[in-house]
Amino acid sequence: MFKFFVIPGHDRRLIPEGRLSGPMPWVIAIMIFLTVLTAAAGLAMTRAMSDVSDELSSRATVQIIEANPQVRNRQADMVAARLRTLPLVEEVRVLPPEEIDALIEPWLGTQDLADDIPLPALIDVKLARVATDAEYQSLRSMLQSIAPGARVEPSSGYIAPVISLVRSFQWIAFGLVGLLALATGAAVILSARSALNTHTETIAVVHLLGGTDQQISRLFQRRIALDALLGGLIGLAGGAVIIWLISGQLSAIGSGLVQSVGLDWWSWLIIAVIPILGMFLAMVTAKLTVTGALKKIL
């Protein structure tokens, strides 16, 4: 696979390989830089969706809707006690009034609304496993026999629109990665054709001396692959710095969904191999381009 790297020095001198002297490494560096950022965004959103879905799929919220506060509190206690006896339920927590006030404060202000608006009692339920729709329906029927105003909703339903939006951004990010790969291939084709035009006389001499198309193709393939690898490493370094800076800013935000946006070790592994994949893409594209052009020359 790497046999084209093992080329005698006198053969390599037929086509100069000045590192960073031409536009090719820098074009590849920009492409890899954008690919790293886009892939990191897609992988981070994938992890965020997985973490949030796993966390919320095993949680539910019970609302006790009752205008009379004494009756509401009594029904909330009875419902919580009944939930604790179920094998499906792992943990039950009745939210205190001050926590409910904190939840509605961003929308309704800081004034005491308990006397004006009958706020429901909220019970946070952690399930032992993900419940089915039939189990949720059975749970609703059972609790409504205790509290007619009881409502049971899976927590994942509250954030479903956000998950759908994030999933759309995820597919857009991966689609951009594909477009950047196509753009990188196009840049390699232009570079290979330019190199062929520059060394037309050298190619003719090599042919006269008995050189084959495969030998000439290996020379160009090696040059472009090394340029792509060098540019890819530069792009990877720049992208890693940007990801590190953004990760530090995200960690300072208190939102649970935002804090879940991050990269684990396998995501970093995928990002680390992007320059290698870019080099292989450049190798294959250069080989096809040079081989096709040499056939036309002869």
Side-chain angles (χ1 to χ4, degrees), residues 93-132:
R93 187 174 75 92
V94 180
L95 272 66
E98 56 271 14
E99 190 168 339
I100 298 177
D101 292 339
L103 290 175
I104 65 173
E105 179 179 330
W107 290 272
L108 299 181
T110 58
Q111 66 271 21
D112 188 6
L113 301 175
D115 297 333
D116 301 326
I117 302 176
L119 301 178
L122 297 180
I123 303 175
D124 182 32
V125 181
K126 182 178 181 180
L127 305 177
R129 56 176 174 79
V130 179
T132 63

Side-chain angles (χ1 to χ4, degrees), residues 65-79:
I65 301 176
E66 171 59 49
N68 190 314
Q70 288 79 19
V71 176
R72 182 173 64 242
N73 294 335
R74 183 172 66 253
Q75 290 180 348
D77 293 337
M78 295 171 60
V79 167

Side-chain angles (χ1 to χ4, degrees), residues 192-259:
R193 289 178 177 176
S194 176
L196 283 171
N197 293 332
T198 303
H199 299 89
T200 302
E201 295 181 358
T202 302
I203 295 172
V205 172
V206 172
H207 275 146
L208 291 175
L209 295 176
T212 64
D213 287 352
Q214 183 178 4
Q215 291 173 326
I216 298 173
S217 175
R218 286 177 59 193
L219 293 174
F220 285 97
Q221 196 176 354
R222 180 181 187 277
R223 173 184 175 177
I224 292 176
L226 290 175
D227 284 347
L229 180 59
L230 183 58
L233 293 176
I234 295 174
L236 175 63
V241 171
I242 298 298
I243 294 172
W244 178 73
L245 293 175
I246 295 177
S247 298
Q249 294 178 347
L250 290 178
S251 62
I253 300 178
S255 172
L257 178 59
V258 174
Q259 284 186 334

Side-chain angles (χ1 to χ4, degrees), residues 264-284:
D264 45 21
W265 67 270
W266 65 267
S267 297
W268 281 110
L269 181 61
I270 294 175
I271 292 173
V273 301
I274 288 179
I276 306 297
L277 297 177
M279 184 190 70
F280 280 113
L281 175 63
M283 287 166 46
V284 174

